[in-house]
Structures are given as structure tokens and as C-alpha cells.
Amino acid sequence: MSAFIDIKSLPTEELAAQLKEQGIPAFRAKQIRSWLDRGVTSFDDMGNLPVALREQLKEQYTIPHVAIERKLVSAIDGTVKYLFSLSDGETVESVLMKYHHGWSQCLSTQVGCRMGCTFCATGKGGLVRNMLASEILAQIEAAEQDHGVRVSSIVLMGMGEPLDNYDEVMRFLEMVNEPGGVQIGMRHISLSTCGLVDRIDELRERNWQLTLSVSLHAPNDALRRQLMPIARKWSVDELLASCRRYASHTGRRISFEYAMVAGVTDTDACAKELAQKLKGMLCHVNLIPVNPVDGTPYRRSCGERLEAFVRILERAGIPATVRRTLGADINASCGQLRRKEQQNSK
Ligand code: SAH
Ligand code: SF4
């Protein structure tokens, strides 16, 4: 699949230039674009193209799209969880959440993930492949069409590590704001990363107004290395230094994700160490009670622990909140539905 070019993500002029090199007139690019904008997913359906040209296109290009494999709707809060299949049969998950300001969608950026965090369902199976920019985008188009809503904000927090699929994710972020696209402004986009320091530095140079979420999950190297292999590559101090550079360059508050694991990351000592490390940074801490995943020993912290942790951070002047649980009845956090489907089909 990777040998094929994602035709939907090519700007029309770029496509015209590629066609011209092969002796195909530039106006064909406009015709193709107009079919793509109408949602056509096969070159055979592009009626005004000669059959020989359609065959030629098929040899070089792919029209990425997603199909709904499964859909679960929460009876508690209306959260929708999709399992989408891609053109090659691989599957990814996406969640649509209703907030008072509109619908927010959590998108996948890779099939699987190679970062191997020990508490994560997606990480268990390793990386299958990167998603193409148009496949990432197609999740929004499919959900909007299926559920009859307009998505007004997105979070790249589904399956995969967005900064490990850097080029396609950057192209996706550009496409979202192109004329005729889904038009979701950067301020309504969050990108979550386990902390690839070199990529955070690269992203900073774009000076985009998106929200960078960093999955920190531990205040020191010893603990972070138990949970996240990436912590062996970059220390907590190196990661936080890149976050400080990011916040001061873009003027945007960093959102730190912190998984509350009973008896592991949720102690008073952890809270104090975290408060000390984050001192003076433009940031916010989002506490996520860990979601128990089959085959992992982790349990979620109780409400009292969450409150005590928030209090310690706030007393040190660091804003902190506990993430609201949505779609509790449909297992809305990502990676778990796909794993279940795979296990069932074995
Ligand atoms: N790869 C990126 C984005 C996808 S994961 C990242 O790691 O940031 C989205 C968020 O869910 C991350 O903060 C991740 O650490 C968290 N997460 C993964 N598995 C979890 C679990 N079992 N319980 C709670 N949070 C989890
Ligand atoms: Fe990958 Fe994020 Fe899961 Fe870690 S938490 S394995 S980076 S998806």
C-alpha cells in the first residue's frame, strides 16, 4: 500500500504537475479533484476519464477511505465509538464525544503503535502501519456523515503515536484547514504525544496554535521507564525542557496527561515531585484514572487519591483537573475494541 501515492492529499497543482510529466493534460487534475471532493472512492467511477487513464492512475495512486465496521453508542452520554476498516482491511478506532460546545472526535493516526507503553492496549500489538493523511481525515468525514453531526474539535489521541507518523500527520493538519475541507481551526485541535523530543522541537517551528498534549505519566525517570520505553531515549528533564521551549515559542499552554495508577504514580510524593518539576511552566495537568487493560497489573486510583493529588498540584500553583469519563458502558478508550475483535476472530 505504501508504494501508492495518497491522491486525496495531493494539492491539485501538485497532481497536475505529476500528470503533466506523464503527458496527461493538466485539466484532468481538476476533473479528478472534483470527483474526490464528491466522495468518489474508485477511479472506475470517474466517468469523464478515459478508461486507459483510469487504469494508469490505479497503478500509481490510491484513494484512501474508511468504512464503518462496528458502531457502539453509549446509553449514558451519547458517546459513539467506531471501528473503521481501511482499504487494505486493517482496522482503527475513533470516538465521537458530545460536549456543551459541540462534537469532538478522537482520531487514530497509526494502525497499532510501536512505543510499547506497558499500560496501553494499542501498544500491545506493535505497529502494523502508518495511516495516510487522507485516511486520518476520512475518519471525520465518515463520522459526520453517519451520525449527522458536524465535528467542531479534534484530538489526535486514538490509536498510534502522531509524531511517529510525522509527515502524514502534518499533511493531515494542513488538509483540515484547506478550502473545501472540514475547516477545524488549529485552536480546536489537540495532538497527544508520548514525548518524541526531536519531533516536538520540529513541530514548535511551525508555530501552530494547536494544543500539545504530552503524556508524562510519571515525575521521574525511574518510574517513567517502568511505564514507557520512550523514557529510556529521553529523560524527563529533556522532555520538560522541550515543552518549555514549545510553550514559550508558541505562547500555548502545554497539557500534561498523567495516568493515575493506584500505588504506582498516584502517591503524595509523586504529586510533590511533579509540582516541583512543572513549576513556572505555562501548563495544565490532566489526571486520567488508568483504564485497566487485560494482561496488565494496573488498577485505577480511588476518588480520594485523585482529589489529594489535585490539591497538591493546585497548592503549588499548577492547574489540574481529573478527566471526565465518557462512554463508560462502551469501553470508549481506544485500542480495546480492536483488540477484542481480533481476539474474537482468532
Ligand atoms: N500515542 C499518543 C496518543 C495516543 S494515546 C500518546 O501516548 O500520547 C492517548 C492517551 O491515552 C495517552 O495519554 C495515553 O498515555 C493514554 N492511555 C493509553 N492507555 C491508557 C490506559 N489504559 N489508561 C489510561 N490512559 C491510557
Ligand atoms: Fe503508543 Fe500512546 Fe499507547 Fe504509548 S500510550 S503505546 S505512545 S498509543
Side-chain angles (χ1 to χ4, degrees):
M1 170 145 206
S2 53
F4 292 93
I5 300 169
D6 172 358
I7 197 166
K8 274 170 99 177
S9 76
L10 283 182
T12 312
E13 317 79 68
E14 172 71 33
L15 177 60
Q18 289 186 8
L19 295 179
K20 212 168 145 215
E21 267 177 27
Q22 303 172 62
I24 302 161
F27 74 90
R28 294 292 184 199
K30 277 203 184 124
Q31 289 179 323
I32 295 167
R33 171 63 48 205
S34 112
W35 287 113
L36 294 173
D37 287 347
R38 274 180 273 167
V40 162
T41 56
S42 160
F43 291 111
D44 289 329
D45 294 336
M46 300 187 175
N48 55 3
L49 303 187
V51 174
L53 175 56
R54 292 182 216 166
E55 293 305 321
Q56 203 176 336
L57 292 170
K58 277 188 226 169
E59 282 167 18
Q60 300 169 59
Y61 298 99
T62 173
I63 309 175
H65 58 280
V66 305
I68 298 169
E69 208 56 38
R70 295 255 284 147
K71 177 185 183 184
L72 302 173
V73 182
S74 163
I76 304 172
D77 51 39
T79 298
V80 184
K81 178 155 189 169
Y82 289 106
L83 185 70
F84 290 126
S85 57
L86 310 176
S87 321
D88 60 355
E90 294 297 343
T91 53
V92 292
E93 295 177 25
S94 176
V95 179
L96 199 56
M97 296 157 286
K98 193 173 182 183
Y99 290 97
H100 57 271
H101 54 78
W103 289 87
S104 176
Q105 190 174 2
C106 178
L107 303 176
S108 289
T109 55
Q110 293 181 312
V111 182
C113 180
R114 62 183 179 132
M115 296 296 140
C117 303
T118 53
F119 48 81
C120 173
T122 303
K124 296 271 168 237
L127 176 67
V128 178
R129 71 167 173 88
N130 280 328
M131 287 175 77
L132 297 166
S134 302
E135 288 176 325
I136 304 172
L137 185 68
Q139 300 172 85
I140 308 177
E141 294 161 348
E144 285 190 333
Q145 203 177 29
D146 171 70
H147 212 57
V149 296
R150 180 163 143 54
V151 171
S152 56
S153 63
I154 49 179
V155 292
L156 301 183
M157 269 191 199
M159 293 168 52
E161 166 49 50
L163 298 186
D164 189 40
N165 182 16
Y166 192 80
D167 292 343
E168 293 297 322
V169 168
M170 294 304 117
R171 180 67 195 121
F172 159 75
L173 291 170
E174 287 161 1
M175 286 171 81
V176 158
N177 281 294
E178 269 164 15
V182 292
Q183 299 280 345
I184 300 171
M186 285 292 176
R187 283 178 180 271
H188 304 283
I189 300 177
S190 294
L191 183 154
S192 177
T193 177
C194 64
L196 307 186
V197 169
D198 52 351
R199 297 302 198 188
I200 294 175
D201 286 338
E202 225 175 308
L203 181 65
R204 181 192 70 219
E205 291 306 317
R206 293 182 179 247
N207 211 7
W208 279 343
Q209 292 297 294
L210 53 74
T211 300
L212 183 67
S213 288
V214 174
S215 300
L216 190 59
H217 300 327
N220 59 55
D221 291 330
L223 196 50
R224 196 161 191 263
R225 283 175 189 159
Q226 281 178 33
L227 301 170
M228 308 174 76
I230 194 71
R232 286 180 214 135
K233 183 156 186 193
W234 284 289
S235 67
V236 167
D237 287 348
E238 285 169 318
L239 174 57
L240 293 181
S242 83
C243 292
R244 283 179 199 273
R245 288 193 291 274
Y246 189 94
S248 62
H249 186 86
T250 62
R252 302 287 292 165
R253 189 178 293 274
I254 306 275
S255 171
F256 287 106
E257 312 292 307
Y258 191 98
M260 292 289 280
V261 185
V264 181
T265 62
D266 69 348
T267 61
D268 281 359
C270 282
K272 285 176 192 157
E273 196 176 358
L274 182 64
Q276 195 245 328
K277 291 263 166 84
L278 298 184
K279 218 165 158 185
M281 195 185 321
L282 185 61
C283 71
H284 172 268
V285 176
N286 214 338
L287 300 178
I288 320 168
V290 77
N291 238 310
V293 168
D294 289 350
T296 67
Y298 306 122
R299 285 174 304 112
R300 51 175 50 209
S301 313
C302 65
E304 253 169 57
R305 256 302 77 215
L306 292 164
E307 280 169 31
F309 208 95
V310 168
R311 263 200 312 276
I312 293 174
L313 291 176
E314 284 187 336
R315 236 183 277 138
I318 293 155
T321 43
V322 176
R323 166 145 345 135
R324 195 156 64 102
T325 308
L326 287 174
D329 54 336
I330 56 167
N331 226 335
S333 58
C334 270
Q336 305 194 0
L337 179 60
R338 173 171 173 270
R339 246 172 97 72
K340 243 176 228 151
E341 295 274 313
Q342 282 179 332
Q343 281 159 356
N344 287 346
S345 64
K346 268 181 198 155

